[in-house]
Amino acid sequence: MNRENFDREMMKMVEPNSNLPLMEIGLIRDIMLKEEKAAMTLIATEQEQEQGIIETRQQQIEQMLRSLGITDIHFRIKTVSAEEKQNIITRAQEMKRSASRPITKAAAQNPFPISPLVKQGVRFIAVASGKGGVGKSTVTLHLARSLQKAGKNVGIIDADIYGFSIPDMMGIYEKPEPTNNRPTPLKKDGIQVISTGFFVKDNNPVLWRGPRLGRMLSSFLNDVKWESLDYMLIDLPPGTGDIALAVHQMIPECLEIIVTTPQSTAAVVAERAGLMALQTNHRILGVVENMSYYEDDSGTKHYIFGKDGGKKLADQLRTSLLARIPIIPEDGESTKSTILSTIYDELAQHIIRSTSN
């Protein structure tokens, strides 16, 4: 199944009043494609169902899917009020208008050069969150390992200036040595890493702001002597500050993954990071919900931090929920650790498929 063909055909199906694609504004959600199978959720009012409008829509989509070679098709119908549906459409229209405007005068001027790594075909993925403590760096590291396991050359830029943790998580305690007066990333488990932590004495806090932060990121992208790369993961600071803006300026084609927990407050602030990506025309690959649940020895799942915050955030940003990551202690059983590894391996494969030409 060619996802590009699917997306192109689905974008032809529009909501009649707004003339916006149903998939783009979130009236078609939870799309799952696998070989000859497809499943999705259609959002509809009771009136649309009674008048047969949703049935006609199903028939149109099914006809399109069959023309693409998909034979096993499943629809789920989610009923909403007319007011809820209008809110979905209005929100999508506002986000679309916002995405067409420059974020700030400074962003439009773009004082930083675009990284030459972009021209080399490196695929950049920024891992963002709205607040700290949601496991963004953990997601970055595990994803990098799964991409490397899949045969990809992977680098990590630990750009979380005020909370750099990647070197410690990877067990890297030495400092990089320059080659021909150029910084060289350190390599651990086949992954190339550069971090602010490499250039900070002891554990002193970083007291940088504004242009200095941008210059640091520019140096990581342009001055560091990277080996051949397929993917570069950028562990962003939480929020929408200077570093996040610099990434948008220097790497126009950067993709983004938004990390949140199931808590509603975490999802609300994470939405701002997602809206910044949309506002600067960056493509959001999807949402990863971390700390989704804890599964005890009996197999019962305990939703310690609430439930479905990641799904709600994905719906708000008109994107997909890529993964739900369970809580597994570091000294957890090997079987549970294997489950975690499997989730990240599947996430890596999804990203490889989504970013392949």
Side-chain angles (χ1 to χ4, degrees):
M1 170 63 201
N2 187 308
R3 180 64 192 241
E4 184 177 343
N5 290 342
F6 170 84
D7 289 342
R8 183 172 58 250
E9 293 301 317
M10 286 294 288
M11 292 296 280
K12 296 177 182 177
M13 299 186 181
V14 299
E15 196 280 326
N17 295 321
S18 65
N19 202 37
L20 292 173
L22 293 164
M23 186 172 68
E24 184 178 275
I25 61 178
L27 294 180
I28 297 179
R29 303 177 181 174
D30 308 325
I31 298 170
M32 299 292 292
L33 298 176
K34 187 175 181 181
E35 297 174 350
E36 297 178 354
K37 299 179 180 180
M40 65 192 70
T41 299
L42 306 183
I43 309 300
T45 64
E46 288 186 1
Q47 186 178 19
E48 287 175 319
Q49 295 175 58
E50 292 171 356
Q51 294 176 347
I53 295 174
I54 200 67
E55 184 178 353
T56 301
R57 187 169 296 162
Q58 283 181 250
Q59 294 171 352
Q60 292 172 339
I61 296 173
E62 184 172 346
Q63 183 179 0
M64 180 273 291
L65 291 172
R66 292 190 183 282
S67 71
L68 295 176
I70 297 177
T71 55
D72 188 347
I73 303 167
H74 178 67
F75 295 103
R76 298 174 294 271
I77 309 299
K78 180 179 179 181
T79 303
V80 297
S81 67
E83 183 180 4
E84 287 174 312
K85 179 187 171 184
Q86 186 55 49
N87 287 339
I88 292 172
I89 296 172
T90 301
R91 185 181 185 84
Q93 289 171 323
E94 291 174 352
M95 291 173 70
K96 193 176 183 69
R97 285 194 295 267
S98 178
S100 67
R101 295 194 297 264
I103 188 165
T104 63
K105 183 178 179 181
Q109 292 173 344
N110 193 2
F112 302 109
I114 295 175
S115 170
L117 293 174
V118 174
K119 299 178 182 179
Q120 296 172 19
V122 177
R123 292 176 175 84
F124 287 87
I125 300 175
V127 184
S129 69
K131 63 190 291 290
V134 299
K136 171 178 51 61
S137 297
T138 302
V139 170
T140 301
L141 180 54
H142 280 293
L143 177 57
R145 286 173 171 165
S146 289
L147 286 168
Q148 195 271 338
K149 192 195 307 184
K152 302 300 180 181
N153 297 319
V154 184
I156 296 177
I157 290 179
D158 184 6
D160 193 345
I161 303 299
Y162 308 111
F164 46 83
S165 57
I166 293 290
D168 187 61
M169 293 169 66
M170 296 185 73
I172 300 175
Y173 304 109
E174 64 270 28
K175 303 294 183 182
E177 295 292 336
T179 301
N180 296 327
N181 295 320
R182 293 180 62 188
T184 303
L186 292 177
K187 203 169 187 178
K188 183 72 177 289
D189 301 328
I191 299 171
Q192 301 175 63
V193 182
I194 201 78
S195 171
T196 311
F198 294 158
F199 308 98
V200 175
K201 186 177 180 180
D202 299 323
N203 196 32
N204 291 327
V206 178
L207 304 177
W208 297 351
R209 296 190 68 184
R212 192 172 182 184
L213 294 175
R215 288 196 295 270
M216 182 279 303
L217 181 61
S218 179
S219 178
F220 285 175
L221 290 168
N222 302 308
D223 300 334
V224 171
K225 189 175 177 60
W226 296 98
E227 297 178 13
S228 176
L229 287 170
D230 297 306
Y231 289 92
M232 177 73 83
L233 303 187
I234 304 176
D235 184 15
L236 291 178
T240 57
D242 295 312
I243 284 291
L245 179 57
V247 166
H248 292 293
Q249 292 170 329
M250 291 183 227
I251 316 167
E253 301 301 321
C254 188
L255 308 171
E256 293 209 19
I257 292 174
I258 311 297
V259 180
T260 186
T261 63
Q263 293 171 299
S264 58
T265 52
V268 167
V269 294
E271 184 183 5
R272 298 172 197 158
L275 289 173
M276 183 176 186
L278 293 175
Q279 200 170 348
T280 50
N281 294 321
H282 278 195
R283 174 186 164 200
I284 299 177
L285 286 172
V287 171
V288 170
E289 183 186 87
N290 195 31
M291 309 180 204
S292 293
Y293 58 87
Y294 173 76
E295 186 172 342
D296 63 25
D297 294 337
S298 70
T300 302
K301 293 180 179 178
H302 302 272
Y303 297 93
I304 300 171
F305 298 112
K307 195 174 181 182
D308 292 332
K311 180 65 175 63
K312 292 175 183 176
L313 175 61
D315 289 346
Q316 289 165 346
L317 296 175
R318 307 194 315 278
T319 188
S320 303
L321 178 62
L322 298 175
R324 287 187 171 97
I325 311 295
I327 300 169
I328 296 181
E330 291 185 6
D331 58 350
E333 300 174 10
S334 59
T335 52
K336 291 185 178 180
S337 298
T338 300
I339 291 172
L340 193 65
S341 178
T342 300
I343 291 172
Y344 278 107
D345 288 348
E346 290 175 352
L347 176 59
Q349 289 299 326
H350 174 82
I351 288 172
I352 291 170
R353 290 192 300 270
S354 299
T355 57
S356 61
N357 293 325

